[in-house]
Amino acid sequence: MQHDLDDGRAEELLNELSRLEPQDRRREEIRSELVVMHVPLARYIAGRYARRGEPQEDIEQAAMLGLVKAINRFDPEVGQRFVAYAAPTMTGEVKRHFRDRTWTMRMPRQLQELRLALRGARQEFLREHGRAPTVAEVAQLLGVSEEEAIEVIGASDAYRPVSLDSPVSDEDGGETLGDLIGDEDPEIELVVDRNALRPMIEKLPDRERTILLYRYFGNKTQTEIAELMDISQMHVSRLISRSLADLKTMLLEEE
Protein backbone atom coordinates (compact mmCIF):
# COMPACT_ATOMS: atom_id res chain seq x y z
CA MET A 1 0.00 0.00 0.00
CA GLN A 2 1.52 3.32 -1.04
CA HIS A 3 0.51 6.72 0.24
CA ASP A 4 0.73 9.32 -2.54
CA LEU A 5 1.25 12.89 -1.40
CA ASP A 6 0.29 15.69 -3.79
CA ASP A 7 3.45 17.77 -3.41
CA GLY A 8 2.25 20.31 -5.95
CA ARG A 9 -0.99 20.97 -4.10
CA ALA A 10 0.77 21.05 -0.73
CA GLU A 11 3.33 23.55 -2.03
CA GLU A 12 0.55 25.72 -3.42
CA LEU A 13 -1.29 25.74 -0.09
CA LEU A 14 1.84 26.42 1.95
CA ASN A 15 2.80 29.34 -0.28
CA GLU A 16 -0.70 30.77 0.05
CA LEU A 17 -0.61 30.29 3.83
CA SER A 18 2.65 32.21 4.12
CA ARG A 19 1.13 35.21 2.33
CA LEU A 20 -2.05 35.46 4.42
CA GLU A 21 -2.49 37.83 7.35
CA PRO A 22 -2.66 36.18 10.81
CA GLN A 23 -6.35 37.06 11.21
CA ASP A 24 -7.41 35.73 7.79
CA ARG A 25 -10.02 32.96 8.19
CA ARG A 26 -8.62 31.21 5.13
CA ARG A 27 -5.60 30.17 7.22
CA GLU A 28 -7.62 27.58 9.17
CA GLU A 29 -9.07 26.13 5.97
CA ILE A 30 -5.60 25.69 4.51
CA ARG A 31 -4.22 24.15 7.70
CA SER A 32 -7.10 21.67 7.81
CA GLU A 33 -6.55 20.63 4.20
CA LEU A 34 -2.81 20.20 4.76
CA VAL A 35 -3.42 18.09 7.85
CA VAL A 36 -5.83 15.80 5.99
CA MET A 37 -3.34 15.44 3.11
CA HIS A 38 -0.56 14.30 5.43
CA VAL A 39 -2.49 12.05 7.84
CA PRO A 40 -1.10 8.89 6.11
CA LEU A 41 2.44 10.17 6.67
CA ALA A 42 1.72 10.84 10.35
CA ARG A 43 0.27 7.35 10.76
CA TYR A 44 3.27 5.80 9.05
CA ILE A 45 5.69 7.58 11.38
CA ALA A 46 3.60 6.61 14.40
CA GLY A 47 3.55 3.02 13.14
CA ARG A 48 7.33 2.86 13.36
CA TYR A 49 6.98 3.20 17.14
CA ALA A 50 4.16 0.69 17.58
CA ARG A 51 4.17 -2.05 20.21
CA ARG A 52 6.48 -0.24 22.59
CA GLY A 53 4.20 0.02 25.60
CA GLU A 54 2.04 2.97 24.52
CA PRO A 55 -1.45 2.96 22.94
CA GLN A 56 -1.14 3.43 19.19
CA GLU A 57 -3.81 6.13 19.28
CA ASP A 58 -1.66 8.21 21.65
CA ILE A 59 1.38 7.80 19.40
CA GLU A 60 -0.63 8.91 16.37
CA GLN A 61 -1.88 11.95 18.27
CA ALA A 62 1.72 12.90 19.05
CA ALA A 63 2.63 12.55 15.37
CA MET A 64 -0.37 14.68 14.41
CA LEU A 65 0.72 17.34 16.89
CA GLY A 66 4.11 17.36 15.21
CA LEU A 67 2.39 17.71 11.83
CA VAL A 68 0.46 20.78 12.99
CA LYS A 69 3.66 22.31 14.39
CA ALA A 70 5.43 21.66 11.09
CA ILE A 71 2.64 23.35 9.13
CA ASN A 72 2.74 26.39 11.42
CA ARG A 73 6.53 26.73 11.30
CA PHE A 74 7.28 25.84 7.68
CA ASP A 75 8.85 28.58 5.56
CA PRO A 76 8.45 27.96 1.79
CA GLU A 77 11.20 30.47 1.01
CA VAL A 78 13.84 28.17 2.50
CA GLY A 79 13.40 25.90 -0.52
CA GLN A 80 12.99 22.65 1.41
CA ARG A 81 10.27 20.12 0.59
CA PHE A 82 7.58 20.09 3.24
CA VAL A 83 7.78 16.30 3.72
CA ALA A 84 11.51 16.58 4.44
CA TYR A 85 10.76 19.20 7.09
CA ALA A 86 7.62 17.65 8.57
CA ALA A 87 8.85 14.07 8.99
CA PRO A 88 11.63 14.89 11.50
CA THR A 89 9.28 17.26 13.33
CA MET A 90 6.66 14.53 13.74
CA THR A 91 9.29 11.98 14.71
CA GLY A 92 10.64 14.34 17.35
CA GLU A 93 7.18 14.85 18.79
CA VAL A 94 6.62 11.08 19.01
CA LYS A 95 9.95 10.62 20.79
CA ARG A 96 9.06 13.44 23.18
CA HIS A 97 5.79 11.66 23.92
CA PHE A 98 7.67 8.53 24.94
CA ARG A 99 10.11 10.45 27.11
CA ASP A 100 7.22 12.13 28.91
CA ARG A 101 5.49 8.81 29.55
CA THR A 102 8.47 7.16 31.31
CA TRP A 103 8.42 4.28 28.86
CA THR A 104 10.59 1.91 30.86
CA MET A 105 8.12 1.82 33.75
CA ARG A 106 5.28 0.92 31.38
CA MET A 107 7.06 -1.90 29.58
CA PRO A 108 5.26 -5.24 30.06
CA ARG A 109 7.03 -7.44 32.62
CA GLN A 110 7.60 -10.29 30.16
CA LEU A 111 9.21 -7.91 27.68
CA GLN A 112 11.45 -6.50 30.43
CA GLU A 113 12.58 -10.01 31.36
CA LEU A 114 13.26 -10.96 27.73
CA ARG A 115 15.15 -7.71 27.18
CA LEU A 116 17.46 -8.53 30.08
CA ALA A 117 17.88 -12.11 28.86
CA LEU A 118 18.73 -10.85 25.38
CA ARG A 119 21.61 -8.76 26.69
CA GLY A 120 23.38 -11.76 28.20
CA ALA A 121 22.51 -14.08 25.32
CA ARG A 122 23.89 -11.62 22.76
CA GLN A 123 27.19 -11.25 24.61
CA GLU A 124 27.60 -15.00 25.00
CA PHE A 125 26.78 -15.63 21.34
CA LEU A 126 29.23 -12.93 20.25
CA ARG A 127 32.03 -14.50 22.29
CA GLU A 128 31.37 -17.94 20.83
CA HIS A 129 30.72 -17.03 17.19
CA GLY A 130 32.45 -13.68 16.69
CA ARG A 131 29.28 -12.05 15.34
CA ALA A 132 25.85 -10.94 16.48
CA PRO A 133 23.00 -13.48 16.28
CA THR A 134 20.42 -13.31 13.52
CA VAL A 135 16.75 -12.83 14.33
CA ALA A 136 16.18 -16.58 13.98
CA GLU A 137 19.07 -17.28 16.37
CA VAL A 138 17.79 -14.71 18.88
CA ALA A 139 14.40 -16.40 18.79
CA GLN A 140 16.04 -19.77 19.44
CA LEU A 141 18.17 -18.42 22.28
CA LEU A 142 15.16 -16.87 24.02
CA GLY A 143 12.69 -19.62 23.18
CA VAL A 144 10.27 -17.25 21.43
CA SER A 145 8.94 -16.73 17.90
CA GLU A 146 10.88 -14.60 15.41
CA GLU A 147 8.20 -11.89 15.58
CA GLU A 148 8.57 -11.76 19.38
CA ALA A 149 12.35 -11.70 18.98
CA ILE A 150 12.07 -8.61 16.76
CA GLU A 151 9.93 -6.91 19.40
CA VAL A 152 12.50 -7.71 22.10
CA ILE A 153 15.34 -6.39 19.92
CA GLY A 154 13.41 -3.17 19.30
CA ALA A 155 12.64 -2.78 23.00
CA SER A 156 16.27 -3.39 23.90
CA ASP A 157 17.67 -0.73 21.59
CA ALA A 158 14.89 1.83 21.27
CA TYR A 159 15.81 3.96 24.26
CA ARG A 160 19.56 3.69 24.50
CA PRO A 161 20.67 7.35 24.76
CA VAL A 162 23.15 8.41 22.09
CA SER A 163 24.85 11.79 21.86
CA LEU A 164 24.11 13.85 18.76
CA ASP A 165 27.88 14.42 18.59
CA SER A 166 28.51 10.69 18.14
CA PRO A 167 30.40 10.06 14.86
CA VAL A 168 28.67 8.07 12.14
CA SER A 169 31.99 6.60 10.97
CA ASP A 170 35.53 6.22 12.28
CA GLU A 171 36.89 8.89 9.94
CA ASP A 172 38.27 12.06 11.53
CA GLY A 173 36.05 15.04 10.87
CA GLY A 174 33.28 12.81 9.56
CA GLU A 175 29.54 13.33 9.96
CA THR A 176 27.88 13.07 13.35
CA LEU A 177 24.35 11.92 14.14
CA GLY A 178 23.35 15.54 14.56
CA ASP A 179 24.43 16.30 10.99
CA LEU A 180 21.90 13.78 9.71
CA ILE A 181 18.85 15.16 11.52
CA GLY A 182 16.29 16.59 9.14
CA ASP A 183 17.21 14.44 6.15
CA GLU A 184 14.22 13.09 4.27
CA ASP A 185 13.60 9.38 4.73
CA PRO A 186 13.44 7.98 1.17
CA GLU A 187 11.06 5.26 2.35
CA ILE A 188 8.39 7.61 3.71
CA GLU A 189 6.56 7.74 0.40
CA LEU A 190 7.04 4.02 -0.25
CA VAL A 191 5.05 2.61 2.64
CA VAL A 192 4.14 -1.03 2.07
CA ASP A 193 1.73 -3.43 3.67
CA ARG A 194 4.20 -5.35 5.82
CA ASN A 195 1.79 -8.08 6.79
CA ALA A 196 1.23 -8.96 3.13
CA LEU A 197 4.99 -9.20 2.61
CA ARG A 198 5.70 -11.50 5.55
CA PRO A 199 5.13 -14.77 3.61
CA MET A 200 7.41 -13.54 0.82
CA ILE A 201 10.11 -12.42 3.24
CA GLU A 202 10.12 -15.95 4.64
CA LYS A 203 11.21 -17.21 1.20
CA LEU A 204 14.39 -15.12 1.21
CA PRO A 205 17.78 -16.51 2.32
CA ASP A 206 18.35 -16.31 6.07
CA ARG A 207 20.82 -13.42 5.95
CA GLU A 208 18.71 -11.27 3.62
CA ARG A 209 15.58 -12.06 5.61
CA THR A 210 17.29 -11.09 8.86
CA ILE A 211 18.51 -7.80 7.40
CA LEU A 212 15.03 -6.85 6.14
CA LEU A 213 13.47 -7.75 9.48
CA TYR A 214 16.00 -5.61 11.33
CA ARG A 215 15.51 -2.71 8.89
CA TYR A 216 11.75 -2.58 8.41
CA PHE A 217 10.38 -4.35 11.49
CA GLY A 218 13.11 -3.55 14.01
CA ASN A 219 13.57 0.09 12.89
CA LYS A 220 17.35 -0.24 12.71
CA THR A 221 19.61 1.85 10.50
CA GLN A 222 21.90 0.31 7.90
CA THR A 223 24.89 1.20 10.08
CA GLU A 224 23.40 -0.62 13.08
CA ILE A 225 22.59 -3.65 10.92
CA ALA A 226 26.13 -3.69 9.56
CA GLU A 227 27.49 -3.85 13.10
CA LEU A 228 25.07 -6.60 14.09
CA MET A 229 25.81 -8.70 11.00
CA ASP A 230 29.56 -7.94 10.98
CA ILE A 231 29.55 -6.70 7.38
CA SER A 232 30.01 -3.28 5.78
CA GLN A 233 27.22 -0.72 5.55
CA MET A 234 27.64 -0.72 1.76
CA HIS A 235 27.10 -4.48 1.70
CA VAL A 236 23.95 -4.07 3.79
CA SER A 237 22.69 -1.48 1.31
CA ARG A 238 23.30 -3.81 -1.65
CA LEU A 239 21.59 -6.74 0.08
CA ILE A 240 18.55 -4.61 0.93
CA SER A 241 18.27 -3.39 -2.67
CA ARG A 242 18.58 -6.92 -4.03
CA SER A 243 16.07 -8.31 -1.53
CA LEU A 244 13.54 -5.57 -2.29
CA ALA A 245 13.92 -6.33 -5.99
CA ASP A 246 13.25 -10.02 -5.26
CA LEU A 247 10.15 -9.10 -3.24
CA LYS A 248 8.91 -6.89 -6.05
CA THR A 249 9.28 -9.80 -8.46
CA MET A 250 7.30 -12.05 -6.11
CA LEU A 251 4.56 -9.43 -5.83
CA LEU A 252 4.30 -9.11 -9.60
CA GLU A 253 4.10 -12.87 -9.98
CA GLU A 254 1.15 -12.99 -7.57
CA GLU A 255 -0.84 -10.32 -9.43
Side-chain angles (χ1 to χ4, degrees):
M1 178 176 60
Q2 180 173 334
H3 298 308
D4 295 319
L5 298 176
D6 188 345
D7 283 348
R9 177 58 177 165
E11 181 179 356
E12 176 184 334
L13 291 171
L14 289 162
N15 283 327
E16 181 182 355
L17 183 64
S18 68
R19 294 192 297 267
L20 294 176
E21 295 295 330
Q23 67 274 15
D24 196 315
R25 294 181 180 179
R26 170 69 177 150
R27 294 178 64 87
E28 289 305 316
E29 297 176 5
I30 293 176
R31 285 198 190 99
S32 297
E33 185 172 349
L34 285 167
V35 167
V36 171
M37 288 176 62
H38 294 87
V39 164
L41 175 59
R43 287 178 175 167
Y44 167 63
I45 290 175
R48 299 178 71 178
Y49 294 85
R51 301 172 66 182
R52 296 187 183 180
E54 277 291 298
Q56 190 62 20
E57 182 178 353
D58 291 351
I59 303 174
E60 289 184 3
Q61 287 179 357
M64 292 296 293
L65 176 59
L67 173 59
V68 173
K69 287 183 177 180
I71 292 172
N72 291 337
R73 298 171 182 173
F74 184 72
D75 183 1
E77 293 184 1
V78 174
Q80 185 181 25
R81 290 183 63 213
F82 177 71
V83 169
Y85 177 82
T89 304
M90 286 186 274
T91 299
E93 202 63 39
V94 170
K95 290 181 178 179
R96 185 175 297 108
H97 168 81
F98 276 97
R99 287 197 299 268
D100 293 344
R101 295 299 188 279
T102 58
W103 175 82
T104 303
M105 296 298 294
R106 299 170 66 94
M107 189 191 303
R109 178 176 294 276
Q110 182 183 15
L111 191 55
Q112 291 186 48
E113 294 173 351
L114 288 172
R115 185 172 64 92
L116 293 174
L118 173 61
R119 185 183 305 170
R122 261 182 174 173
Q123 293 174 351
E124 183 66 25
F125 189 96
L126 185 61
R127 281 195 296 268
E128 292 184 6
H129 302 276
R131 62 173 177 82
T134 65
V135 171
E137 289 165 339
V138 168
Q140 185 175 7
L141 289 169
L142 299 180
V144 298
S145 67
E146 290 191 19
E147 186 171 343
E148 290 171 325
I150 294 168
E151 184 176 1
V152 176
I153 292 168
S156 178
D157 296 336
Y159 288 89
R160 181 176 53 195
V162 179
S163 170
L164 293 179
D165 295 323
S166 299
V168 176
S169 66
D170 295 330
E171 298 178 3
D172 292 335
E175 287 184 317
T176 66
L177 290 176
D179 295 329
L180 303 180
I181 292 178
D183 285 357
E184 179 181 355
D185 185 345
E187 292 140 22
I188 282 178
E189 298 179 35
L190 298 174
V191 183
V192 296
D193 188 341
R194 298 178 181 183
N195 289 329
L197 284 178
R198 280 183 184 274
M200 299 175 188
I201 292 176
E202 292 297 325
K203 298 178 183 178
L204 295 173
D206 184 62
R207 182 173 62 172
E208 283 82 344
R209 179 164 57 92
T210 296
I211 288 174
L212 287 188
L213 290 173
Y214 271 135
R215 180 68 185 92
Y216 297 106
F217 292 81
N219 290 328
K220 291 194 175 297
T221 66
Q222 291 187 10
T223 301
E224 290 172 331
I225 296 170
E227 293 176 356
L228 287 168
M229 304 297 291
D230 195 24
I231 57 179
S232 70
Q233 184 271 331
M234 185 65 70
H235 196 183
V236 170
S237 179
R238 292 195 190 101
L239 289 173
I240 289 176
S241 297
R242 187 174 69 189
S243 299
L244 291 178
D246 290 341
L247 290 175
K248 182 178 180 180
T249 300
M250 293 182 203
L251 282 170
L252 292 175
E253 289 175 350
E254 286 205 350
E255 291 181 354

